[in-house]
Amino acid sequence: MKFTELTQYFERLEETSSRLALIDILAELFKKTDATTVDKVMYLTQGRVAPFYEPTEIGMADKMVAQSIGEAFGLTKDEVLAEYARKGDLGIVAFALSEQKRQKGKKDELSVVEVFETLKAIAHTSGVGSVEKKITALKELMEHMDAVSAKHLSRIPLGKTRLGIGDPTILDGIAIAVLGDKSKRKLLEKAYNETSDLGLIGKTLMEGGLEAVQKLGVTVGRPIRSELCERLPNPVKVFEKMAPPRHSGEVQNQSKSGEAQTDPGQARMTDNDGIHATYKYDGFRVQIHKNGDKVEMFSRNLEDMTHMFPELIEGTLKQIKATSVILDSEAMAYQPESEEFLPFQETTKRRRKHNIEAMAESLPLKAFVFDILYVDGRSLLGTPLNERVEIMKKTIVGDEILIPEPGIIMKKPEDLQLMLDSAFTQGLEGVVVKRPDSGYEAGGRNFNWVKLKKHSAGDLSDTIDCVILGYIYGKGKRTAFGAGALLVGLYDKKEDQFVSVTRIGTGLTDDEWRSIKEKTKGLELDHKPARVHSLITPSVWVKPEIVIEVLADEITRSPLHTAGATISDDGVKEPGYALRFPRLITFRDKDKKAEDATSVDELIAMFGGQGKKE
Ligand code: ATP
């Protein structure tokens, strides 16, 4: 496939404002692609030259790309940058210059593979003279392509492809292209959750069919998508939902066997299979992969964090008995002497790329290991939690840096309440409760794992992670800041789209309002993004990428918002859900992707739990 053919599809993808159209265009594109190219097409569609978890960054900032554009079309870097300041998008600048300056009749003959390989080579260029080499390589590509291709190519190194296509939409597209429809898409999704590599799924599907995809399984070095938690308001609800009493026949049998029963109600409550409880550590999720003496670590976002935490590498090599292993853990700054957990604000100072050794020295992390997903060639995803915990205990020796957290099996809400109180006393966030018989559901969020936090009982003091969908121009003093209110939304997992939930006008300082323009630079769109569903049209649409943490007083039903709404051509059938008195707490865009924002299902569950303090 020629690169110019691919960028014609990018044009169509960029222009559409309907998710169904996105899927159709992608399916058409994948049908035209062969097995040797499909992975590259998938990565390029996401503006990458490797899966997300591979730290292969092209490593060219605005100024370098501007220099390449300038050299390709006979302008200075500063002239290109001046145009960029006017147009706000280097892709548009490259397009215009290419149209003006290009010699007529030049053929656009580069293939997708050639462009992809060159971009990958640029990413791997390092050392002395690498800046010039990268600039020249990009310039040479640009000289050999048409204006539309130059536009899309310029955006790739900057990570601003503007196509806004989510992984589930790409999976829908490939399912239709190869399997004819979406009926087997769940199987593709499962494989994706276990490998985190869309290109691999596409290529394997085209080469070996669905059977080959199902055999992919877990591999050390490829992150598994993390299992996440649902919320419940209190310990009683946890037992009702996760460990309901066995039916009465069994209770009678037990009483016949002579067990003392002073309180029949209590007996019923404790006659269950129990829940597995651990503290909820407030640091960041780290998935640790070890293969021989190679250790890699991934964040919940699938970002490679290996180089950030040298002490965890050392701990893994020292304490793990197995040759190969995948562990799930929460890393946190902890003082073993005083048994003191440091606050999240301290721990988070370690999420940086500079002064790593010094930081590891002054603020060493411990990894609280709560799960094991793979050991010596065997995936444990299908193994029940209680068995995984036993394997974990045998695999980790000591607790110097990796601290095993085997959890406790509990049969009574009172015991869980005690543990919750003890968590708060130690400054922890709460408790995570799991079903002891559940396998590890990669990428899942359901009632196999539940978090209990201090304020989840009723009064909505729990925050909600929202995604910025657009902003509304400011009035009065805020005119100067550009933005005066934000339109924000949540992620609707089933539809792979973002739905509106509220407008926010408070909680931001003057500087933060100013920073909104800065943060959204390059993400603004002149039409509604295809994966956004909203009845409200903001002054400026913003590609759904920036996650903010929001606190609100209450969740209400509202016909204005699309979160949880049913809307047909004749209007709103079921109103949506909205946040009342929302205020911004913090920007979460560093550690969460838009798809990690609070989901509509979670919001509805929180709405159901409101005001029910027991
Ligand atoms: P929050 O913002 O409430 O911390 P979250 O959106 O980051 O939640 P959730 O799925 O809601 O993620 O909560 C689960 C998170 O809690 C996990 O991603 C993990 O980072 C952390 N965690 C801490 N302790 C544990 C534990 N013992 N078991 C599982 N996860 C834990």
Side-chain angles (χ1 to χ4, degrees):
M1 176 183 270
K2 296 275 177 252
F3 188 66
T4 180
E5 223 179 315
L6 176 63
T7 56
Q8 290 303 327
Y9 280 101
F10 283 3
E11 282 291 284
R12 288 171 59 194
L13 290 166
E14 188 186 349
E15 274 155 23
T16 183
S17 51
S18 135
R19 191 179 98 86
L20 290 178
L22 282 185
I23 299 173
D24 288 344
I25 300 167
L26 284 171
E28 196 186 314
L29 164 64
F30 295 142
K31 269 189 209 152
K32 290 225 169 133
T33 313
D34 62 26
T36 53
T37 318
V38 68
D39 50 347
K40 298 165 186 78
V41 166
M42 282 181 161
Y43 299 137
L44 288 173
T45 304
Q46 296 192 310
R48 305 222 10 119
V49 287
F52 277 108
Y53 65 81
E54 258 188 42
T56 311
E57 304 300 338
I58 295 173
M60 293 181 75
D62 294 0
K63 286 190 182 140
M64 283 169 76
V65 175
Q67 175 83 31
S68 297
I69 296 174
E71 287 185 16
F73 305 116
L75 266 73
T76 65
K77 179 178 79 180
D78 288 339
E79 285 168 333
V80 176
L81 286 172
E83 275 300 293
Y84 175 36
R86 267 194 291 281
K87 298 202 162 97
D89 174 359
L90 273 174
I92 302 281
V93 175
F95 175 83
L97 290 176
S98 172
E99 281 221 310
Q100 282 167 25
K101 307 265 162 142
R102 220 170 138 263
Q103 306 108 290
K104 293 256 177 306
K106 197 173 208 175
K107 272 204 203 135
D108 303 308
E109 54 213 8
L110 293 175
S111 69
V112 169
V113 177
E114 280 170 299
V115 174
F116 181 87
E117 295 302 345
T118 307
L119 287 173
K120 200 156 185 168
I122 294 178
H124 288 130
T125 304
S126 61
V128 186
S130 62
V131 169
E132 286 72 27
K133 281 187 205 150
K134 286 178 184 222
I135 290 171
T136 307
L138 189 70
K139 169 207 126 182
E140 283 171 2
L141 281 182
M142 220 167 280
E143 282 173 340
H144 288 94
M145 53 182 55
D146 59 276
V148 168
S149 296
K151 166 169 123 184
H152 291 282
L153 177 76
S154 319
R155 288 171 177 169
I156 293 174
L158 304 172
K160 291 180 180 162
T161 55
R162 305 174 78 94
L163 300 177
I165 302 174
D167 302 345
T169 302
I170 294 193
L171 286 175
D172 280 344
I174 192 82
I176 293 173
V178 183
L179 304 170
D181 59 40
K182 294 197 291 183
S183 58
K184 299 269 171 25
R185 187 191 167 294
K186 274 256 165 263
L187 298 173
L188 296 184
E189 194 177 316
K190 179 169 183 290
Y192 175 55
N193 285 334
E194 294 177 8
T195 59
S196 306
D197 187 343
L198 276 179
L200 177 76
I201 305 289
K203 192 178 165 67
T204 312
L205 184 65
M206 280 198 181
E207 277 171 358
L210 203 52
E211 213 173 295
V213 171
Q214 283 176 277
K215 283 197 192 130
L216 280 172
V218 173
T219 307
V220 182
R222 278 190 208 133
I224 298 168
R225 309 220 345 137
S226 294
E227 178 153 7
L228 300 171
C229 301
E230 272 289 353
R231 293 177 168 88
L232 280 171
N234 57 47
V236 171
K237 283 272 180 284
V238 165
F239 276 86
E240 278 172 16
K241 180 95 189 168
M242 300 174 74
R246 291 195 201 93
H247 55 80
S248 55
E250 289 179 34
V251 172
Q252 276 170 12
N253 285 346
Q254 271 203 348
S255 38
K256 265 188 214 152
S257 73
E259 193 180 290
Q261 286 192 12
T262 44
D263 175 353
Q266 173 83 353
R268 262 198 305 281
M269 191 53 104
T270 56
D271 186 38
N272 58 55
D273 293 329
I275 51 96
H276 172 274
T278 45
Y279 286 132
K280 186 174 196 295
Y281 299 98
D282 194 12
F284 29 78
R285 189 92 174 245
V286 180
Q287 199 176 94
I288 304 175
H289 289 230
K290 171 187 181 293
N291 196 1
D293 41 20
K294 183 172 180 197
V295 177
E296 289 167 287
M297 283 177 272
F298 302 97
S299 73
R300 169 185 156 164
N301 258 350
L302 308 180
E303 190 192 335
D304 187 318
M305 301 175 102
T306 308
H307 301 293
M308 280 186 204
F309 313 128
E311 69 273 45
L312 299 188
I313 299 183
E314 199 187 314
T316 305
L317 292 174
K318 246 193 222 160
Q319 290 178 248
I320 297 298
K321 271 173 60 181
T323 308
S324 59
V325 81
I326 301 178
L327 303 169
D328 202 353
S329 77
E330 186 85 355
M332 204 178 165
Y334 175 68
Q335 273 294 337
E337 293 77 18
S338 55
E339 294 190 12
E340 201 187 343
F341 296 100
L342 301 189
F344 179 69
Q345 291 80 329
E346 284 298 303
T347 300
T348 204
K349 289 185 186 156
R350 290 297 309 275
R351 267 187 93 106
R352 47 147 88 183
K353 297 194 170 127
H354 308 289
N355 284 338
I356 287 174
E357 294 295 335
M359 286 301 283
E361 200 56 30
S362 64
L363 197 68
L365 296 185
K366 306 283 175 191
F368 292 88
V369 182
F370 51 78
D371 218 324
I372 184 165
L373 313 183
Y374 181 95
V375 69
D376 287 338
R378 183 158 73 101
S379 164
L380 300 174
L381 298 191
T383 307
L385 174 65
N386 45 16
E387 288 176 35
R388 296 203 302 276
V389 168
E390 290 310 312
I391 298 171
M392 180 181 90
K393 286 200 283 196
K394 285 189 206 131
T395 312
I396 306 177
V397 186
D399 60 0
E400 207 183 316
I401 296 173
L402 304 191
I403 306 181
E405 164 54 291
I408 306 171
I409 296 290
M410 288 179 179
K411 297 258 181 174
K412 297 200 301 262
E414 294 79 353
D415 293 343
L416 184 55
Q417 185 62 51
L418 280 179
M419 183 165 179
L420 201 53
D421 293 339
S422 144
F424 300 148
T425 319
Q426 294 176 73
L428 291 172
E429 262 196 312
V431 169
V432 179
V433 182
K434 299 170 188 170
R435 283 182 66 126
D437 58 352
S438 63
Y440 188 97
E441 196 179 315
R445 189 194 285 275
N446 56 44
F447 286 94
N448 284 340
W449 284 28
V450 163
K451 60 183 168 189
L452 268 178
K453 300 214 295 200
K454 191 165 202 158
H455 299 293
S456 30
D459 60 354
L460 250 209
S461 306
D462 203 358
T463 55
I464 293 170
D465 293 325
C466 299
V467 183
I468 299 183
L469 305 180
Y471 59 81
I472 296 138
Y473 290 138
K475 293 204 183 92
K477 179 173 111 179
R478 289 190 195 160
T479 321
F481 307 154
L486 299 172
L487 175 68
V488 304
L490 302 180
Y491 183 50
D492 184 335
K493 211 173 165 186
K494 272 189 244 93
E495 302 293 332
D496 185 26
Q497 63 182 7
F498 297 90
V499 281
S500 81
V501 74
T502 195
R503 276 177 285 209
I504 302 183
T506 44
L508 282 84
T509 60
D510 289 358
D511 276 348
E512 279 172 329
W513 278 119
R514 275 188 209 101
S515 78
I516 295 288
K517 283 285 281 183
E518 197 48 42
K519 280 182 185 288
T520 54
K521 192 171 167 201
L523 298 176
E524 296 109 334
L525 292 175
D526 57 6
H527 61 78
K528 184 183 76 59
R531 285 196 305 148
V532 170
H533 179 33
S534 168
L535 301 172
I536 297 171
T537 304
S539 316
V540 178
W541 290 105
V542 172
K543 248 174 87 180
E545 282 190 9
I546 304 171
V547 179
I548 56 174
E549 190 175 358
V550 175
L551 189 63
D553 279 7
E554 205 188 344
I555 302 168
T556 55
R557 298 302 301 258
S558 160
L560 287 181
H561 289 283
T562 46
T566 316
I567 298 171
S568 70
D569 290 344
D570 335 321
V572 178
K573 286 230 149 66
E574 269 284 325
Y577 295 81
L579 304 181
R580 199 161 153 257
F581 296 133
R583 49 240 178 239
L584 181 135
I585 302 294
T586 155
F587 285 86
R588 294 285 304 257
D589 44 337
K590 291 234 163 40
D591 64 330
K592 287 203 173 177
K593 285 207 287 188
E595 285 81 1
D596 297 323
T598 302
S599 67
V600 173
D601 288 349
E602 280 180 88
L603 185 81
I604 296 174
M606 288 166 87
F607 177 80
Q610 269 182 161
K612 294 184 190 161
K613 293 188 194 173
E614 281 163 59

